[in-house]
C-alpha cells in the first residue's frame, strides 16, 4: 500500500510539471530595464535635433555622448532644486535610467513629457525641459516629476 501511495504521489507531481506552460508572452514577463521595445523607441517626434540626439544617448546609456550635447557649466534642476549636473547623471547612467515612453513634445522639441525608469526610485511621469544657448549647446536642463 505504501509503495502504491508513493507511486501515485510521484506520478501526480510529474503530470503537474508537464502541464505547465513555459511559453509566456512579453506582457507576462517581469519588467526588465533593457526591454528592446523601449530601446528602439521612435524618437522622431522630438523635432529639435540636439535634444533628439541627447535623448538617444540617454536611451543608449552613452554617458560621454550625452555630455557632448551640454556646455561644461550646464545648470541642472530636479523638481526646482539646483543640483550637480555631472554627479546626478553619472548616477543616472550607472542605473541605466531612461524614458519608457515619450508622450508629449512641446516648445519646438525642447520639452519632453513621458514615463521614465528612474533606477532605484521606480517608474513615473516626468518632464525634461532643455534650454539651448546661441551655439546650439544645452546650457540648462530642468527635470521633474509630474
Amino acid at each position: 500500500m505504501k509503495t502504491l501511495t508513493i507511486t501515485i504521489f510521484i506520478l501526480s507531481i510529474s503530470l503537474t510539471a508537464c502541464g505547465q506552460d513555459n511559453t509566456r508572452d512579453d506582457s507576462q514577463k517581469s519588467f526588465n530595464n533593457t526591454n528592446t521595445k523601449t530601446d528602439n523607441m521612435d524618437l522622431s517626434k522630438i523635432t529639435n535635433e540636439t535634444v533628439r540626439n541627447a535623448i538617444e544617448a540617454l536611451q543608449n546609456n552613452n554617458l560621454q555622448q550625452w555630455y557632448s550635447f551640454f556646455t561644461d557649466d550646464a545648470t541642472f534642476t530636479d523638481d526646482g532644486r539646483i543640483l550637480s549636473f555631472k554627479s546626478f547623471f553619472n548616477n543616472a547612467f550607472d542605473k541605466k535610467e531612461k524614458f519608457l515612453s515619450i508622450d508629449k513634445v512641446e516648445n519646438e522639441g525642447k520639452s519632453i513629457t513621458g514615463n521614465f525608469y528612474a533606477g532605484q526610485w521606480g517608474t513615473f511621469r516626468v518632464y525634461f525641459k532643455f534650454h539651448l544657448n546661441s551655439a546650439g549647446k544645452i546650457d540648462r536642463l530642468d527635470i521633474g516629476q509630474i
Side-chain angles (χ1 to χ4, degrees):
M1 182 68 174
K2 186 176 179 179
T3 306
L4 179 60
T5 304
I6 292 172
T7 303
I8 292 172
F9 176 72
I10 291 173
L11 182 58
S12 67
I13 290 174
S14 298
L15 291 176
T16 301
C18 291
Q20 292 179 359
D21 181 9
N22 290 327
T23 58
R24 299 182 302 173
D25 67 24
D26 286 343
S27 66
Q28 295 172 314
K29 293 180 182 174
S30 63
F31 174 74
N32 181 346
N33 182 26
T34 58
N35 184 332
T36 57
K37 289 180 184 174
T38 58
D39 290 343
N40 295 323
M41 185 182 337
D42 180 13
L43 303 178
S44 66
K45 64 176 108 178
I46 303 172
T47 55
N48 183 285
E49 185 178 357
T50 301
V51 172
R52 183 178 55 250
N53 289 334
I55 293 296
E56 183 176 17
L58 176 70
Q59 295 302 106
N60 292 328
N61 201 48
N62 187 330
L63 182 62
Q64 296 311 314
Q65 186 179 27
W66 167 261
Y67 284 145
S68 75
F69 298 105
F70 291 84
T71 61
D72 291 336
D73 61 346
T75 301
F76 171 68
T77 67
D78 181 11
D79 286 324
R81 297 173 313 203
I82 295 176
L83 299 175
S84 167
F85 176 71
K86 293 258 180 162
S87 176
F88 184 91
F89 281 99
N90 284 342
N91 182 58
F93 276 78
D94 185 49
K95 305 280 189 284
K96 295 181 176 39
E97 296 182 6
K98 65 181 177 180
F99 277 95
L100 300 176
S101 68
I102 295 177
D103 304 323
K104 189 188 311 183
V105 178
E106 299 176 304
N107 189 23
E108 300 172 346
K110 295 179 282 191
S111 296
I112 300 169
T113 303
N115 290 313
F116 194 80
Y117 169 73
Q120 67 188 14
W121 307 111
T123 300
F124 45 87
R125 289 187 49 75
V126 299
Y127 64 85
F128 276 44
K129 294 182 180 181
F130 295 86
H131 304 265
L132 282 69
N133 66 15
S134 60
K137 287 272 214 175
I138 303 165
D139 61 0
R140 181 183 179 107
L141 174 59
D142 301 306
I143 69 170
Q145 187 172 351
I146 299 174

